[in-house]
Amino acid sequence: MLIFVGDLPKGATEQDLWRLGQLSDGNAKVRVFKKPGPEGHMLRYGLLQVDSDFEARRVMHRLRLARLDGGPLRVRPFVDRHASANERRATDWRERPWEGLERRQGERRSFR
């Protein structure tokens, strides 16, 4: 299971996430990423890959309680958001079947 850890401070390293999550050497992988934010500053986040769901819940609980450089961390299961998963950005979104009722029919008013 992949765990997303957001709001990492400027000096955060992979070793900091290992220490805060109390991970053992053989059961996890940790990476820290940086990308430019909308206002010009760097956004930092980490991804932790843990073998079992039980271990992932335990690590997420530890990280939610932890503070790094005085600030809280944002922790949640990682959701991969590729363009193909987003219906409006997928190239074949018009051909995909729609599971629910049409929105327009539910919003129409009946006039008598």
Side-chain angles (χ1 to χ4, degrees):
M1 175 180 207
L2 279 172
I3 301 170
F4 172 84
V5 182
D7 294 340
L8 291 177
K10 190 174 188 176
T13 63
E14 294 169 354
Q15 288 79 20
D16 293 333
L17 292 177
W18 275 97
R19 182 179 45 82
L20 290 174
Q22 298 175 2
L23 299 169
S24 60
D25 291 334
N27 68 345
K29 297 178 186 174
V30 178
R31 299 244 357 237
V32 173
F33 297 93
K34 301 173 193 172
K35 70 177 190 177
E39 298 170 1
H41 63 278
M42 295 297 282
L43 299 175
R44 290 169 178 79
Y45 63 95
L47 289 180
L48 284 77
Q49 183 176 3
V50 183
D51 291 338
S52 68
D53 289 343
F54 175 75
E55 180 72 18
R57 284 192 295 272
R58 194 168 58 91
V59 169
M60 286 193 322
H61 178 70
R62 287 180 186 155
L63 290 173
R64 283 186 182 121
L65 298 175
R67 296 200 173 262
L68 196 56
D69 290 343
L73 301 174
R74 200 167 19 137
V75 181
R76 62 173 170 78
F78 178 73
V79 177
D80 193 16
R81 295 184 176 143
H82 285 354
S84 62
N86 188 341
E87 290 180 6
R88 293 179 182 247
R89 292 185 182 165
T91 55
D92 62 343
W93 69 273
R94 291 180 196 262
E95 289 82 27
R96 289 187 183 182
W98 184 258
E99 292 87 22
L101 296 174
E102 285 294 325
R103 184 174 178 187
R104 290 185 198 161
Q105 291 175 355
E107 292 178 353
R108 288 187 182 160
R109 297 180 183 162
S110 61
F111 294 103
R112 294 181 188 214

